[in-house]
Amino acid sequence: MNEPAARPTALLVMEEERRADVYPREVLAGIDRLVDRQGPPLTRRRLDEDPDVLRGIDVLLTGWGAPVLDAALLSHAPRLRAVLVAAGSVRHLTTPAFWARDIPIVSAAAANAVPVAEFTLAQVLLGLKQVHRITRDVASSRRFPHNPQVPGAYRSRVGLVGLGHIGRLVAAHLGRFDIEVLATDPVASAGTALRAGVRLVGIEELFATCHVVSLHAPLLPETHGMIGTRLLNSLGPGATLINTARGALLDESAAADVLRARPDLTAVLDVTHPEPPADDSPLFTLPNVVLTPHLGGALGAERHRLGELVLDELRRFTRNEPLQYAIDPAHAASLA
């Protein structure tokens, strides 16, 4: 008689601060029904002190504060067969040594995209009503404007820079409104754009013709500081720029100059570079800058979604089913 296959072993390694949000009790209970979880959860520092705890581990469960999967760490994990990351980006974790092992790695970017897209949708709708600009004008003049002219969510135009998880989800939300959605993304195909319900255009046309522009591009060498003086000055009167992606996509020095000269514009910056800005940054004092401290990303109970995605992927792993959110190594370099 064949003996039943041994259950996979798993270890949870991530920072303590957000662990209970990402892996709440019900998610941990589901994990424990599928695998033999080894010991208490560890932090990256504790793992660095005793990396040999990985020797019998088949699955590494992690999230914020994940260990870097370099050759030194992997040398202690001969049995490792999957890495499931309950966070958005895996770029800072993966190394050539990791990809050479051909170990699947899952990102929960799709789950983290949900609150970011919701936050973005709210800011887009406020931008189309030019709420932030009119609020400034009311506070300054102490008068209510008569019959203000704003684009509104009727046959107006919104531009998305990037059609990854978040960009596509924002496009889906905007599809419920009478809004034309444009997008620019050098790696998006015509089929991707069609499915997302957007029209692909160049970035110059997008900035020059959209009432609201929202950034959702990854931070790569070629996108660092890509939004500068020329594009910002091409925005139409009363336009709104939203950044929930990466602060360094925006040339902040150039942006400050343009926003100082163009009080009609509004920049909603949920991310900055550095984060938070330096104490003397004009972003704190420019009246047409709305600074929020990464509110778009998953917070509190919203983080449960990330752990639930990992649990679903772990279930597929134990059933030898294809992983739905595994990162394709060929595209890993272009991800956020």
Side-chain angles (χ1 to χ4, degrees):
M1 176 180 289
N2 292 331
E3 294 185 3
R7 279 162 43 107
T9 57
L11 180 67
L12 173 56
V13 180
M14 71 170 290
E15 66 173 43
E16 293 180 1
E17 183 179 7
R18 289 177 276 195
R19 191 171 64 214
D21 284 341
V22 176
Y23 291 97
R25 289 181 183 177
E26 61 270 22
V27 169
L28 289 178
I31 289 171
D32 291 340
R33 286 191 288 270
L34 298 172
V35 297
D36 291 330
R37 194 155 50 93
Q38 303 299 295
L42 301 179
T43 62
R44 180 168 56 192
R45 182 180 62 80
R46 292 293 302 275
L47 179 63
D48 287 343
E49 292 171 355
D50 185 17
D52 278 340
V53 297
L54 291 169
R55 291 213 172 271
I57 298 301
D58 299 302
V59 180
L60 177 62
L61 306 171
T62 186
W64 282 282
V68 176
L69 303 168
D70 56 17
L73 182 140
L74 292 168
S75 69
H76 297 277
R79 283 176 42 177
L80 189 63
R81 293 190 286 142
V83 179
L84 309 183
V85 184
S89 176
V90 301
R91 286 186 67 201
H92 61 295
L93 309 180
T94 53
T95 65
F98 172 76
W99 294 119
R101 282 275 298 268
D102 199 26
I103 298 169
I105 184 168
V106 162
S107 162
N112 194 52
V114 174
V116 180
E118 292 169 347
F119 178 89
T120 300
L121 173 64
Q123 295 298 334
V124 167
L125 295 176
L126 290 173
L128 291 174
K129 283 286 192 178
Q130 297 192 6
V131 168
H132 296 301
R133 178 186 66 80
I134 291 174
T135 298
R136 294 193 300 271
D137 291 346
V138 167
S140 174
S141 68
R142 303 199 176 192
R143 298 178 184 274
F144 282 7
H146 174 69
N147 191 27
Q149 299 299 301
V150 299
Y154 179 71
R155 299 188 179 179
S156 47
R157 183 175 283 181
V158 174
L160 306 178
V161 179
L163 275 181
H165 284 300
I166 298 171
R168 294 195 303 272
L169 191 51
V170 172
H173 288 325
L174 292 173
R176 308 198 305 269
F177 301 89
D178 196 352
I179 293 172
E180 182 183 10
V181 183
L182 308 187
T184 185
D185 189 323
V187 300
S189 66
T192 296
L194 181 64
R195 289 188 295 274
V198 306
R199 178 163 67 89
L200 287 175
V201 298
I203 195 168
E204 292 82 6
E205 179 181 348
L206 186 142
F207 268 77
T209 65
C210 288
H211 301 99
V212 176
V213 174
S214 189
L215 307 184
H216 303 288
L219 181 59
L220 307 170
E222 58 269 30
T223 63
H224 193 284
M226 66 185 290
I227 312 301
T229 302
R230 181 175 55 84
L231 289 174
L232 293 170
N233 266 329
S234 73
L235 289 167
T240 297
L241 175 74
I242 302 166
N243 190 6
T244 58
R246 293 289 186 268
L249 295 174
L250 184 65
D251 181 338
E252 291 181 353
S253 176
D257 289 341
V258 172
L259 290 164
R260 193 177 289 111
R262 294 275 310 272
D264 61 295
L265 300 180
T266 299
V268 178
L269 306 180
D270 195 46
V271 290
T272 59
H273 182 73
E275 195 169 285
D279 289 346
D280 60 351
S281 170
L283 298 181
F284 284 120
T285 54
L286 282 167
N288 50 345
V289 173
V290 179
L291 276 182
T292 55
H294 234 115
L295 295 181
L299 299 174
E302 292 176 324
R303 295 174 182 146
H304 291 10
R305 288 192 184 102
L306 284 72
E308 289 165 355
L309 183 148
V310 161
L311 174 57
D312 288 343
E313 289 287 71
L314 183 62
R315 189 174 293 112
R316 294 184 186 97
F317 174 81
T318 59
R319 294 173 178 172
N320 292 315
E321 297 173 358
L323 298 175
Q324 186 174 348
Y325 296 103
I327 301 297
D328 180 352
H331 299 141
S334 64
L335 298 176

